[in-house]
Amino acid sequence: MTPRPDSLVAAEARVRQLAESFGGDPARWPEADRLGAEAWIAAHPAEARHLLDDARSLDRLLFAWEAPRPTEGVTKRVQSAAPVQVRQSRRRSWVLTLTGGAALAAACLAGIVAAPRLVDPVVRAAAAPVYASDPDSILAEAMTPWEAPVAEPAMEARS
Amino acid sequence: MSRPVTDALGRIHSEGPAASSRVDDPDADLVRRVGAGDALAVRALTARKLPRLTALAARVLGDAAEAEDVAQESLIRAWRQAPVWRFGEARFDTWLHRVTLNLCRDRLRRVRPGGPQDLESLVDPGPAPDRGLEARDVGDRVAAAMAILPARQREAVVLCHYQEMGNIQAAAALGISVEALESLLSRGRRALRAALSDLVA
């Protein structure tokens, strides 16, 4: 017997997994797998039938469990609740938007007003330039770089 | 390939190159109109979703009356959500399923602290006089088999088999990966097959 290529074995295994998880109808399988699986099914009809029939028999059983339908009462209650719920939600959304906007605007305004006052007084003092205000001080400041150094009297002159 | 992931609100996001893609939602137009206060849209969305959510809750809870309460609460939340719904981030139907499942889980925790095994005695698929006795019996057997499945497996089978959700949407509704969903489905169906082995042809 000729061994089957790995790709075929993998494709069969994947079809088996899909049938076990999602049932025997390929239309309900994940889209990403469907094309490849359907190609394998078309190429191997006998093996595919065996795999899928097995899954379909469980599908048929599961469909025998019917769910209750909603009553007229709950339908009316749900519909009559809608206008109030929608209105309240829209109002809440508006209030949140307005309060959010107002809070942001207030925060910006407060920041603009308060920022100069919030600067540390020490930093402010250090950063501010100090100017001399009287003529003597101005002259002293101007002459500072030119002040001649006071030298020791020369030893030769003394002797 | 991108992988869908969900956040705490059930919104679908994609990882990878398709991360910026928008979710195509067949309910978007109705939701927009409901949010604008359109009474006809409310009726249309009720007709589309209420039977679906009632069936989901009934199969998860195993109780028709409780299922009706849960479906009602889910749709009331939908009315509140419609005006502020962020289109393109998730399918409205997926979000609704997630809300319904959470409400079901809350009820199961509150009313039946014993866990899923307590469900079997509460299964009530409801009378169906127009059906043959055999079909009803089979339905009852299926309901009983579903009731003893672990909760997550039951939810996965209900979403994919009965609610006809695709794997990405069902995984999003459950807040799990598609791989985890497939594993839950496989184990769930295997357990159902074992429980119903005398009926499987």
Side-chain angles (χ1 to χ4, degrees):
Chain A
M1 195 178 125
T2 314
R4 296 195 302 165
D6 286 350
S7 60
L8 275 184
V9 176
E12 181 182 342
R14 185 61 187 143
V15 169
R16 186 186 299 278
Q17 282 174 354
L18 290 169
E20 282 174 0
S21 299
F22 297 96
D25 181 3
R28 291 164 162 259
W29 294 357
E31 269 183 48
D33 291 289
R34 205 178 301 149
L35 271 183
E38 283 178 339
W40 184 86
I41 290 167
H44 305 81
E47 289 151 293
R49 194 178 310 118
H50 175 70
L51 278 180
L52 298 184
D53 283 353
D54 198 38
R56 280 175 190 146
S57 61
L58 181 60
D59 292 345
R60 276 193 296 274
L61 272 184
L62 296 183
F63 279 124
W65 182 22
E66 290 181 8
R69 302 274 310 163
T71 60
E72 190 67 25
V74 74
T75 306
K76 281 184 179 161
R77 284 197 298 278
V78 163
Q79 288 176 351
S80 62
V84 174
Q85 296 295 335
V86 169
R87 212 168 31 243
Q88 283 179 352
S89 175
R90 286 165 70 180
R91 196 175 301 143
R92 200 175 304 123
S93 167
W94 270 106
V95 168
L96 282 175
T97 307
L98 287 176
T99 49
L104 185 65
C108 290
L109 191 64
I112 291 165
V113 170
R117 296 159 204 265
L118 292 175
V119 177
D120 189 332
V122 176
V123 173
R124 205 167 24 186
V130 180
Y131 298 109
S133 55
D134 60 293
D136 289 343
S137 302
I138 293 170
L139 188 62
E141 209 169 88
M143 292 298 290
T144 302
W146 303 103
E147 199 171 338
V150 179
E152 286 291 318
M155 296 298 289
E156 298 86 346
R158 244 187 275 164
S159 61
Chain B
M1 200 178 90
S2 65
R3 201 170 72 88
V5 292
T6 53
D7 65 14
L9 296 173
R11 293 175 181 139
I12 307 169
H13 305 280
S14 295
E15 290 175 340
S20 61
S21 67
R22 306 277 287 171
V23 175
D24 186 28
D25 188 351
D27 296 319
D29 182 50
L30 271 184
V31 174
R32 196 172 281 115
R33 284 168 53 201
V34 167
D38 181 341
L40 282 178
V42 166
R43 252 185 262 170
L45 202 61
T46 305
R48 191 183 287 184
K49 300 299 175 192
L50 186 58
R52 193 164 159 72
L53 299 179
T54 306
L56 168 67
R59 287 185 168 121
V60 172
L61 294 170
D63 184 294
E66 276 196 271
E68 208 169 76
D69 288 347
V70 165
Q72 178 179 326
E73 176 60 26
S74 300
L75 273 176
I76 285 174
R77 291 187 187 193
W79 304 149
R80 279 184 225 142
Q81 194 65 32
V84 292
W85 181 251
R86 293 166 71 176
F87 294 93
E89 290 189 7
R91 280 190 181 194
F92 199 71
D93 189 64
T94 308
W95 176 82
L96 263 178
H97 274 70
R98 194 161 169 130
V99 167
T100 307
L101 284 175
N102 283 336
L103 289 170
C104 289
R105 289 172 193 159
D106 287 348
R107 281 184 182 242
L108 288 173
R109 267 195 297 269
R110 204 168 51 229
V111 181
R112 301 161 199 169
Q117 65 272 20
D118 289 356
L119 274 170
E120 195 174 8
S121 60
L122 295 163
V123 169
D124 176 21
D130 55 328
R131 284 187 301 167
L133 182 65
E134 195 186 338
R136 200 176 70 187
D137 285 348
V138 173
D140 289 351
R141 284 283 310 278
V142 173
M146 288 285 287
I148 55 173
L149 283 183
R152 285 293 210 175
Q153 290 179 23
R154 184 170 58 249
E155 289 172 1
V157 173
V158 169
L159 290 181
C160 287
H161 185 82
Y162 294 105
Q163 301 297 106
E164 302 192 340
M165 278 185 154
N167 63 332
I168 293 174
Q169 211 190 340
L174 289 171
I176 58 176
S177 68
V178 287
E179 292 83 6
L181 172 80
E182 197 170 320
S183 169
L184 286 174
L185 284 171
S186 173
R187 284 182 283 144
R189 283 179 62 100
R190 206 175 307 138
L192 287 170
R193 176 179 292 281
L196 303 167
S197 58
D198 58 312
L199 297 173
V200 179

